[in-house]
């Protein structure tokens, strides 16, 4: 980030925005790495300081080595890969030189020097800021009270690790905030990104390959719409209409077509253009939303929305509208927009930055764990 700033490609304000929006992921990763030291600290009531110091030294040496390796590797590989160092690197274990094939000898040397300096400074910080304090520990007067206090403090690590107590858990998309893909990536903690990608690693290719490629292509070509002429009938009375998607979850088409049960929806269908032959594209929000806005078929066992690296490459209706002059794109959602990486999809794939979610409403209106009821949402349009 600093190298890009030095070249004048981003401003000072962008750096502070990156640090601010990336802080939750940094805190979450710190919480994960602090769990083992917290357990050891609880055990310190029965361990001698020298033994405790030895355990801490081994743990921090391993962790700092991993942090240094992933951090420097991420810096080296990002310009070539265009995304953070993640679990895909393990595909190259049989050919490790392929990982850094694009890096020059100069870059490799700088990377090695950076790794040594990063690890050395981090380890010196541990030796003088943490280890010295460990050697000064004494057996407390009340072991029980001390242990209870330490256990209670350890449970507080749950908050940064999970990212709060709402329905969404900490995910990479929580750091997304900008139209600039690089700024979003810069806000993502590389170690958290690697850990997150490892938890999402699956062999999807073997799950959905039912036909031979040639046969699959023939079937797809037969159902792919190909107009008989080079023109499209004009269905609207204006060249630039105000476009509003009303996405209703678990809503029946039979109900929507009933003029008595849903008179307003029925009226809109009559006044506008209605497509009555659409079918449900999934059973979950994270699948259905991508199907509607990006035309991406929902997978039965996984949601692509949870993979920001992939969703940022998807086409989308909002992004296409933005390229055609629609500037004021907004998304209104009564729930937690960080659920299932929704924020990264809306910003990265759709180009929507004006997002209104449950946090924009007073606490008294968040009546369920899923956020704000529909009657309040209809008053903000």
């Amino acid at each position: 980030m600093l190298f890009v700033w030095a070249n004048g490609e981003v401003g000072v304000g962008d750096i502070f925005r990156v640090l601010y929006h990336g802080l939750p992921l940094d805190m979450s990763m710190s919480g994960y790495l602090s769990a083992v030291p917290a357990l050891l600290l609880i055990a310190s009531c029965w361990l001698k300081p020298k033994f405790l110091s030895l355990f801490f030294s081994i743990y921090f040496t391993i962790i700092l080595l991993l942090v240094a390796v992933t951090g420097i590797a991420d810096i080296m590989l990002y310009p070539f890969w265009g995304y953070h160092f993640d679990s895909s690197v393990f595909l190259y274990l049989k050919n490790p030189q392929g990982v850094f094939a694009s890096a020059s000898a100069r870059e490799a040397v700088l990377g090695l020097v950076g790794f040594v300096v990063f690890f050395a400074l981090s380890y010196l910080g541990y030796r003088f800021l943490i280890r010295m304090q460990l050697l000064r520990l004494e057996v407390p007067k009340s072991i029980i009270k001390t242990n209870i206090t330490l256990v209670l403090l350890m449970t507080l690590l749950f908050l940064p690790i999970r990212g709060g107590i709402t329905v969404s858990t900490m995910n990479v998309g929580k750091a997304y905030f900008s139209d600039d893909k690089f700024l979003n990536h810069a806000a993502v903690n590389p170690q958290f990104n690697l850990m997150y990608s490892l938890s999402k690693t699956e062999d999807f290719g073997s799950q959905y390959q039912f036909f031979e490629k040639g046969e699959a292509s023939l079937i797809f070509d037969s159902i792919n719409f190909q107009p008989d002429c080079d023109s499209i009938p004009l269905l609207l009375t204006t060249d630039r209409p105000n476009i509003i998607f009303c996405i209703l979850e678990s809503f029946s088409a039979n109900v929507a077509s009933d003029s008595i049960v849903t008179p307003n929806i029925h009226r809109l269908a009559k006044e506008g253009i209605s497509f009555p032959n659409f079918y449900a594209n999934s059973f979950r929000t994270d699948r259905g939303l991508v199907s509607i806005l990006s035309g991406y078929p929902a997978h039965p066992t996984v949601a692509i929305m949870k993979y920001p690296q992939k969703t940022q490459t998807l086409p989308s209706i909002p992004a296409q509208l933005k390229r055609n002059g629609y500037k004021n794109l907004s998304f209104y959602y009564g729930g937690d927009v960080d659920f299932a990486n929704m924020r990264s999809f809306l910003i990265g794939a759709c180009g929507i930055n004006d997002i209104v979610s449950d946090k924009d409403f007073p606490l008294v209106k968040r009546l369920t764990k899923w956020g704000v009821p529909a009657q309040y949402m209809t008053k903000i349009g």
Side-chain angles (χ1 to χ4, degrees), residues 108-120:
V109 171
L110 288 175
L112 180 61
V113 172
F115 163 75
V116 173
V117 172
F118 187 100
F119 174 75

Side-chain angles (χ1 to χ4, degrees), residues 14-248:
D14 291 325
I15 295 179
F16 285 104
R17 288 199 299 157
V18 164
L19 295 175
Y20 173 75
H21 289 281
L23 185 60
L25 293 189
D26 296 336
M27 292 177 63
S28 181
M29 196 67 234
S30 298
Y32 279 111
L33 298 181
S34 299
V36 172
L39 289 172
L40 290 174
L41 197 59
I42 293 173
S44 66
C45 295
W46 295 277
L47 296 175
K48 292 183 178 180
K50 288 186 178 180
F51 286 108
L52 188 66
S53 175
L54 176 62
F55 291 148
F56 266 78
S57 295
I58 294 173
Y59 174 79
F60 274 99
T61 298
I62 295 173
I63 291 300
L64 292 176
L65 280 171
L66 292 175
V67 169
V69 168
T70 55
I72 298 301
D74 185 71
I75 293 174
M76 290 182 62
L77 294 175
Y78 182 83
F80 306 106
W81 289 14
Y83 55 88
H84 276 296
F85 182 86
D86 63 10
S87 60
S88 63
V89 72
F90 296 105
L91 299 174
Y92 297 92
L93 287 180
K94 294 182 180 179
N95 182 29
Q97 64 270 23
V99 177
F100 298 97
S102 301
S104 64
R106 175 176 172 272
E107 290 167 334
V109 171
L110 288 175
L112 180 61
V113 172
F115 163 75
V116 173
V117 172
F118 187 100
F119 174 75
L121 291 176
S122 301
Y123 189 76
L124 286 174
Y126 157 72
R127 295 280 296 185
F128 290 102
L129 296 178
I130 298 178
R131 185 173 179 273
M132 295 297 292
Q133 299 300 320
L134 293 173
L135 294 174
R136 296 173 184 170
L137 288 177
E138 297 179 355
V139 177
K141 294 180 180 179
S142 175
I143 294 179
I144 295 178
K145 289 182 179 180
T146 301
N147 269 330
I148 292 175
T149 302
L150 291 175
V151 169
L152 290 175
L153 290 174
M154 181 181 174
T155 58
L156 293 178
L157 291 176
F158 167 83
L159 293 176
I161 287 175
R162 192 183 183 279
I165 56 175
T166 58
V167 293
S168 68
T169 56
M170 186 61 70
N171 55 69
V172 174
K174 202 173 185 70
Y176 279 55
F177 69 96
S178 172
D179 282 337
D180 190 333
K181 181 174 69 175
F182 171 74
L183 295 180
N184 293 328
H185 290 176
V188 174
N189 182 289
Q191 288 77 32
F192 184 93
N193 182 77
L194 176 60
M195 181 184 69
Y196 184 81
S197 66
L198 287 172
S199 69
K200 301 295 179 184
T201 301
E202 288 189 54
D203 182 13
F204 299 123
S206 63
Q207 296 180 26
Y208 307 110
Q209 192 66 44
F210 295 105
F211 297 96
E212 295 295 331
K213 290 187 177 179
E215 185 181 1
S217 296
L218 288 174
I219 295 174
F220 181 80
D221 290 340
S222 68
I223 63 175
N224 191 25
F225 173 73
Q226 296 292 337
D228 296 329
C229 59
D230 58 358
S231 62
I232 299 175
L234 184 63
L235 301 177
L236 304 175
T237 58
T238 176
D239 293 332
R240 192 170 294 276
N242 181 29
I243 301 173
I244 301 174
F245 284 86
C246 297
I247 302 174
L248 305 177

